Amino acid sequence: MRLRSLRAAVTATASIAAVFGALVMTAAPTAAKADEGMWTFDNFPIQTVNQKYGTHIDQAWLDRVRNASVRIQGCSASFVSPEGLILTNWHCVVGCAQELSTPDQDFVKNGFTAATREEERRCPGQTAEVLTEIVDVTDRVLAAGEGLEGAAFNAARTAEINKIQTEACAGDPKFNCQVISFYRGGRYSLYKFRKFDDVRLVFAPENQAAFFGGDPDNFNFPRYALDAGFLRAYEDGKPVESPNFLKWNPNAPAEGDVTFVSGNPGTTQRLLTMSQLERLRDQQLPVTLIQNSELRGRLLEYSLTGDEAKRVSFDPVFGLENSFKVYYGQQGALTDPAFMARKREEENELRARVAADPALVQKIGDPWADLERVQATARDLYLPYRQLEQSAGGGSQLYAYARAIVRASKNTAMTDAQRAQLTTALTTETPIYADMEEIRMRYWLSKTREYLTVDNPEVKAMLGRESPEALADRLITGTKLADPAFRAQALTMTTAQLAEADPLLAFVIANDDAAKAIGDRWAAAVNAPTARAAEKVAQARFAVYGTNLYPDATFSLRLSYGQVGGWTYRGVTVPAFTYMGGLYERATGSEPFNLAQAFADNESRVNKDVVYDFSSTNDIIGGNSGSPVINAQGEVIGAAFDGNIHSLGGSFGYDGELNRTVTVSTAAITEALRNVYPNPRILEELGVK
């Protein structure tokens, strides 16, 4: 399963209604309960953890963990050696493996192992970032929008945020500076990252080893998955020196052992108001589920047309299936009456306590009513915003290139540093599969016509007298944007020159004003008032419950705490551990329960008593994929890759009795590197004898 940002899954055989019917979240607005919380490193509850678990966590321990934690594209990771070696999940590197593959050499199916440093291969577009500094910039950001509304509010905020980021990075390309909103706008912090642009693949197992059990086991436990991979960060052609790394512990933890997960959870929505949750349930999630389901069907049909089609569609289909399931799980939570009643009760409690404080009412007004009004506007704008701006291109990489180039040609305010960054991104050599591109474009154009209707002016302008199928074929077969050299050349052209140079660029130019207009309307009429009201709700929370709260996830570095443990549901107890011998017992020989070839070939060498995967009470969400699971000594004992079925509603709340993180143990990874995919070089670097 993937816990990449916004991706999750649910077992195909479980009853969603049954799970959510019994689910009672503990996302109380008072201090976090149980092991709940994805805490920022500058507000981690050290005393609470030490008192509960008898640990000795201090600021120095937190700093070591933070400096060893790594953010990669859509996932989390960690340095595990002083020479830039990075541990993450297989499903976080499978995209790289697919891009490095050819029809004759399939690194997804057969795995990838670099026997020497020279064989480590660069992952196109991959980066590695380490958080080096956190600075509170709340006062500056809030002051920038004071007294403004709509587009003026957005412009002022954006200008100030850009100024803060520019000042902090001072034009140094080795850093990435990002102002991040916390508590739905209640706090703003500058996060400064040390960035590495040269990241290379070191090891990835066969896909059948990493994703044994496929969809039936997905978002489930017990699991028998070697969902682990290694990367290495380079700079100036040499491995990065990483003195802050997590020591590799090749031994499995014991039940009850304290565990910490350091990673970048993507998005949670635990602080949304009832009106926001209801629109999510009634409009946004249903549309997303329907469209993802149809696109998945189209790609699955394509995957059956041949071996090469199956190879190139593997990762996109895998990703779509997981994203479909995360939204399906969210919809299950939001359609559960008991869960929604609990959320309403929490909101009513907060609103009542605010109403009882005249001074607080005077300060913040009624932001809940403000947000209800915003939802009415959002309902009207959502479909055109989604189809013309937010999801334009349907995921086509060529369309994304075209839009980035067109908008850069119009952006007179772009700095040299921003243009250089865009140039690097656009000129990176990345495989483009024309058939997949055409499927995505055809799908997007047909859905836009369906949702916005044939008579919609923007639809008429896009399609003209062509069908979605004919237009997609013309644009994808005619464009030169698959060539990095042409993309670099296009960045030097004017908008008028672009329209003459390429049909896909001309298409984007002809329709971009309408897309930009609906995007601007959404920003002014939805985003701006939402930000205003959410800040006031955050002020209310701080006033009523204090500041010892964790914020919603924002794909920023967090630390959660918990302990190794199974769970009991409806009289059935699920143990915390699986063992490598269980893989062979579970294997049937038929997909998706067929053994990976290397595991089948080396069965006699495998120690079947080694702990394979384990579960813990840590609070995580999509984006935590690849997060190091760490013991109290600060050693890495696994890589988080999944959650159990009860964590499906984790976007909206946490249940300490049932929600579990699923982790591939370092014990299993060590055993695999020793006896399944022998790699003494990596073992030596990890300090394993």
Side-chain angles (χ1 to χ4, degrees):
M1 166 272 179
R2 350 185 129 195
L3 280 170
R4 283 209 306 220
S5 187
L6 290 181
R7 293 183 177 178
V10 55
T11 176
T13 57
S15 167
I16 298 299
V19 171
F20 283 105
L23 191 59
V24 179
M25 296 295 181
T26 58
T30 50
K33 298 178 180 179
D35 294 332
E36 178 184 349
M38 304 168 196
W39 299 88
T40 56
F41 271 72
D42 57 349
N43 189 35
F44 186 74
I46 295 175
Q47 185 175 354
T48 298
V49 175
N50 286 340
Q51 287 177 347
K52 180 173 183 177
Y53 288 111
T55 52
H56 302 284
I57 305 304
D58 57 17
Q59 189 59 49
W61 188 97
L62 290 176
D63 290 342
R64 286 195 300 273
V65 170
R66 173 178 55 78
N67 286 317
S69 300
V70 178
R71 184 171 74 171
I72 59 178
Q73 298 295 314
C75 282
S76 302
S78 58
F79 284 125
V80 290
S81 90
E83 297 175 277
L85 187 66
I86 295 170
L87 171 68
T88 187
N89 287 151
W90 164 85
H91 73 252
C92 295
V93 303
V94 66
C96 172
Q98 182 157 312
E99 289 172 339
L100 295 176
S101 296
T102 66
D104 299 324
Q105 194 173 41
D106 190 343
F107 295 131
V108 176
K109 180 180 179 181
N110 301 319
F112 176 90
T113 299
T116 65
R117 290 275 173 89
E118 289 70 31
E119 293 179 15
E120 296 174 1
R121 298 180 62 177
R122 187 166 184 171
C123 293
Q126 184 60 274
T127 58
E129 297 181 327
V130 178
L131 178 61
T132 61
E133 189 176 0
I134 303 173
V135 179
D136 184 6
V137 293
T138 303
D139 291 344
R140 284 187 63 176
V141 175
L142 294 185
E146 195 66 36
L148 301 175
E149 301 292 341
F153 173 85
N154 285 335
R157 281 284 178 88
T158 299
E160 185 63 21
I161 286 172
N162 288 339
K163 183 179 179 182
I164 293 169
Q165 293 172 163
T166 300
E167 290 172 356
C169 274
D172 191 336
K174 293 183 178 180
F175 289 91
N176 174 28
C177 296
Q178 182 181 3
V179 172
I180 301 175
S181 169
F182 296 99
Y183 305 100
R184 301 279 163 183
R187 294 286 187 277
Y188 290 86
S189 293
L190 169 71
Y191 274 43
K192 187 174 184 178
F193 299 90
R194 179 68 165 89
K195 184 175 67 173
F196 304 99
D197 291 322
D198 184 353
V199 179
R200 305 185 190 182
L201 185 62
V202 177
F203 169 77
E206 301 153 279
N207 66 331
Q208 188 54 30
F211 196 50
F212 176 84
D215 255 359
D217 273 0
N218 219 359
F219 226 109
N220 209 350
F221 195 79
R223 293 296 300 271
Y224 300 89
L226 189 70
D227 198 345
F230 288 96
L231 302 166
R232 192 184 305 278
Y234 280 74
E235 193 167 48
D236 299 326
K238 299 177 182 178
V240 166
E241 293 183 6
S242 50
N244 293 296
F245 67 94
L246 300 177
K247 182 181 178 183
W248 187 268
N249 185 332
N251 302 309
E255 185 146 10
D257 281 0
V258 63
T259 50
F260 300 87
V261 174
S262 176
N264 302 277
T267 303
T268 56
Q269 299 166 96
R270 298 178 185 180
L271 300 182
L272 291 185
T273 64
M274 287 303 300
S275 65
Q276 291 174 299
L277 291 175
E278 287 164 351
R279 190 182 70 80
L280 188 64
R281 177 196 65 195
D282 298 338
Q283 183 187 43
Q284 187 171 330
L285 283 173
V287 171
T288 302
L289 281 166
I290 291 169
Q291 291 207 18
N292 279 16
S293 181
E294 181 171 336
L295 180 58
R296 177 181 61 171
R298 295 189 184 203
L299 293 180
L300 282 171
E301 281 296 308
Y302 170 70
S303 74
L304 299 175
T305 61
D307 291 342
E308 179 64 2
K310 183 177 182 179
R311 182 185 75 81
V312 301
S313 63
F314 177 85
D315 190 44
V317 169
F318 188 17
L320 262 176
E321 287 180 339
N322 279 271
S323 62
F324 175 85
K325 289 164 187 172
V326 73
Y327 296 127
Y328 184 48
Q330 290 179 2
Q331 188 73 351
L334 296 182
T335 54
D336 175 57
F339 173 73
M340 291 297 276
R342 176 60 181 266
K343 297 295 289 187
R344 189 175 299 280
E345 178 185 334
E346 292 171 1
E347 181 171 302
N348 288 341
E349 177 194 338
L350 176 58
R351 295 180 71 168
R353 294 182 66 170
V354 169
D357 185 343
L360 187 55
V361 172
Q362 178 69 27
K363 179 180 179 182
I364 69 170
D366 189 351
W368 294 273
D370 295 338
L371 286 169
E372 287 173 11
R373 287 188 286 272
V374 172
Q375 302 322 301
T377 302
R379 283 187 178 90
D380 292 339
L381 296 180
Y382 178 67
L383 285 178
Y385 169 67
R386 176 189 174 86
Q387 294 306 123
L388 300 176
E389 175 68 7
Q390 185 185 49
S391 300
S396 161
Q397 185 62 61
L398 293 173
Y399 183 93
Y401 287 148
R403 186 160 77 168
I405 290 167
V406 168
R407 293 192 173 178
S409 74
K410 298 177 181 179
N411 187 357
T412 57
M414 184 177 287
T415 66
D416 290 342
Q418 290 171 329
R419 187 167 292 276
Q421 187 176 14
L422 179 62
T423 300
T424 299
L426 288 176
T427 56
T428 298
E429 184 79 49
T430 303
I432 299 291
Y433 304 109
D435 288 347
M436 299 275 288
E437 290 289 305
E438 189 171 330
I439 288 170
R440 289 183 177 276
M441 281 290 289
R442 201 163 59 222
Y443 155 80
W444 167 61
L445 290 168
S446 66
K447 289 292 102 178
T448 301
R449 183 176 66 180
E450 176 184 328
Y451 276 74
L452 302 188
T453 77
V454 173
D455 296 318
N456 179 276
E458 284 74 29
V459 172
K460 284 183 174 182
M462 275 202 306
L463 295 178
R465 305 185 75 84
E466 293 180 275
S467 69
E469 294 75 19
L471 178 57
D473 177 68
R474 178 173 67 83
L475 295 177
I476 298 302
T477 58
T479 186
K480 299 185 286 291
L481 286 168
D483 180 5
F486 176 73
R487 297 197 296 268
Q489 181 185 0
L491 277 173
T492 67
M493 299 180 186
T494 64
T495 305
Q497 290 171 331
L498 292 173
E500 297 291 329
D502 185 89
L504 184 53
L505 288 167
F507 172 81
V508 171
I509 291 168
N511 297 283
D512 195 53
D513 285 347
K516 191 75 165 51
I518 189 64
D520 289 344
R521 283 186 66 193
W522 183 270
V526 178
N527 289 347
T530 296
R532 277 283 197 200
E535 288 169 9
K536 294 175 182 178
V537 173
Q539 292 171 15
R541 287 181 175 275
F542 294 146
V544 172
Y545 301 119
T547 57
N548 190 28
L549 304 167
Y550 67 92
D552 265 328
T554 53
F555 199 52
S556 54
L557 188 63
R558 307 294 179 88
L559 189 65
S560 71
Y561 63 91
Q563 62 184 137
V564 176
W567 71 96
T568 298
Y569 178 64
R570 292 186 173 175
V572 177
T573 297
V574 181
F577 301 103
T578 61
Y579 300 86
M580 297 195 80
L583 169 70
Y584 295 95
E585 296 171 5
R586 198 173 183 84
T588 65
S590 299
E591 291 187 2
F593 295 99
N594 53 310
L595 288 172
Q597 193 61 49
F599 272 85
D601 293 344
N602 294 289
E603 180 177 359
S604 63
R605 302 179 62 196
V606 172
N607 181 350
K608 296 182 178 179
D609 294 326
V610 168
V611 167
Y612 206 153
D613 299 329
F614 64 89
S615 63
S616 65
T617 62
N618 296 85
D619 188 5
I620 65 170
I621 199 71
N624 271 120
S625 279
S627 295
V629 181
I630 304 164
N631 63 18
Q633 288 71 48
E635 301 166 333
V636 62
I637 57 173
F641 72 94
D642 201 352
N644 65 354
I645 191 170
H646 305 288
S647 63
L648 281 168
S651 181
F652 309 113
Y654 172 82
D655 183 346
E657 295 297 318
L658 296 174
N659 286 27
R660 293 295 180 268
T661 292
V662 179
T663 297
V664 56
S665 72
T666 49
I669 300 170
T670 301
E671 181 67 15
L673 291 173
R674 182 179 285 135
N675 292 321
V676 183
Y677 306 99
N679 196 313
R681 181 176 72 97
I682 296 179
L683 289 175
E684 181 180 5
E685 186 171 351
L686 293 173
V688 178
K689 296 181 180 179

